[in-house]
Amino acid sequence: MSAAPAPACPGPAGRPAGDVTVEAAPGVWVAWARTAAVSEHPADLADVRGRPRWRRRQSLAARGLLRALLAEVCPGTEGVALSADVRGRPALKGLPALGVSLSHDGPSGTSGDLGGDLVAAAVAPGRRVGVDVQLPPCPDVPAGLVRRCLRERAGELSSLPAGRRALEFAWVWTVQEACVKADGTGIAGRPWSLDIPVRPGTGTLGDLTWIALRHLSVHPVSCAFGDLRAR
């Protein structure tokens, strides 16, 4: 039996889902926000039960943004429960051809607000997709981590002033993370081993296309996507 086709997704027609909602590539929508309404979907609440309060807050905010983005670009799908596909990627139950991804970053703690958090979501009908957001390491990124993630490019990053170095490292890491999310490999995909240039813009990695949305966001946000049939 063939998989159900992706639903028709006409794209944004009203209020943006997050602080920013963009069509990063034809048919690939990404939204991100520093504040987002947390999801109250019963399945989402059940999924985060038992996690630390701050992790629940971040996860539900990311899911809330994803559902808002779905309501904006694929009306009628925002109430579908999330599950995971065979590779561990988030998926909408019964809609495997509608690619979705979400991300969050921020400090741990027990604060009840989202003042220090950043969340993102992506929707891509007929594609597999990954999105990642990162707040730059503060006050700087450890030299060992720079060498691990950038290898022969480490010198180029290390020559930058500390604040700029941390920001550009975060941009590289968002691309690396978005790629392994789109591929469904996660940490097992060794994101730190992916060859991404300093000051990334856009490029390809295997059968994936990646885009660092640096022309649209002051916060590091990147997405990656590929055809569903490609493995």
Side-chain angles (χ1 to χ4, degrees):
M1 181 181 296
S2 59
C9 294
R15 185 175 182 272
D19 294 344
V20 182
T21 300
V22 300
E23 191 173 13
V28 179
W29 288 281
V30 181
W32 59 94
R34 288 306 300 257
T35 58
V38 298
S39 172
E40 296 182 355
H41 192 289
D44 294 342
L45 295 173
D47 283 346
V48 303
R49 190 174 296 127
R51 298 182 190 179
R53 182 181 176 187
W54 64 274
R55 293 290 288 179
R56 293 199 307 269
R57 182 191 73 228
Q58 289 181 343
S59 181
L60 289 173
R63 290 172 184 233
L65 181 61
L66 174 60
R67 295 194 181 283
L69 181 59
L70 286 167
E72 183 65 20
V73 302
C74 295
T77 66
E78 65 272 15
V80 179
L82 280 169
S83 59
D85 69 10
V86 294
R87 287 198 160 196
R89 287 182 292 246
L92 296 173
K93 289 184 177 179
L95 295 173
L98 179 53
V100 297
S101 184
L102 44 81
S103 179
H104 52 75
D105 191 31
S108 62
T110 57
S111 172
D113 60 56
L114 272 167
D117 293 335
L118 179 64
V119 295
V123 174
R127 288 176 167 149
R128 63 201 208 279
V129 66
V131 68
D132 195 66
V133 295
Q134 294 290 328
L135 297 171
C138 185
D140 198 4
V141 55
L145 190 56
V146 171
R147 290 192 297 271
R148 186 183 193 194
C149 293
L150 285 155
R151 298 169 304 285
E152 68 274 8
R153 302 181 191 272
E156 183 181 354
L157 187 72
S158 297
S159 67
L160 299 175
R164 190 69 187 177
R165 183 164 58 237
L167 179 63
E168 292 299 341
F169 175 83
W171 277 110
V172 170
W173 183 249
T174 60
V175 174
Q176 293 172 324
E177 277 282 311
C179 286
V180 297
K181 287 182 175 183
D183 207 35
T185 53
I187 291 298
R190 303 176 70 245
W192 55 86
S193 70
L194 303 183
D195 185 22
I196 304 299
V198 177
R199 303 181 183 87
T202 185
T204 58
L205 195 66
D207 61 348
L208 295 174
T209 297
W210 57 262
I211 302 173
L213 298 168
R214 55 192 305 132
H215 60 300
L216 297 169
S217 176
V218 297
H219 309 295
V221 183
S222 299
C223 68
F225 52 91
D227 194 276
L228 279 177
R229 295 186 299 275
R231 291 292 183 265

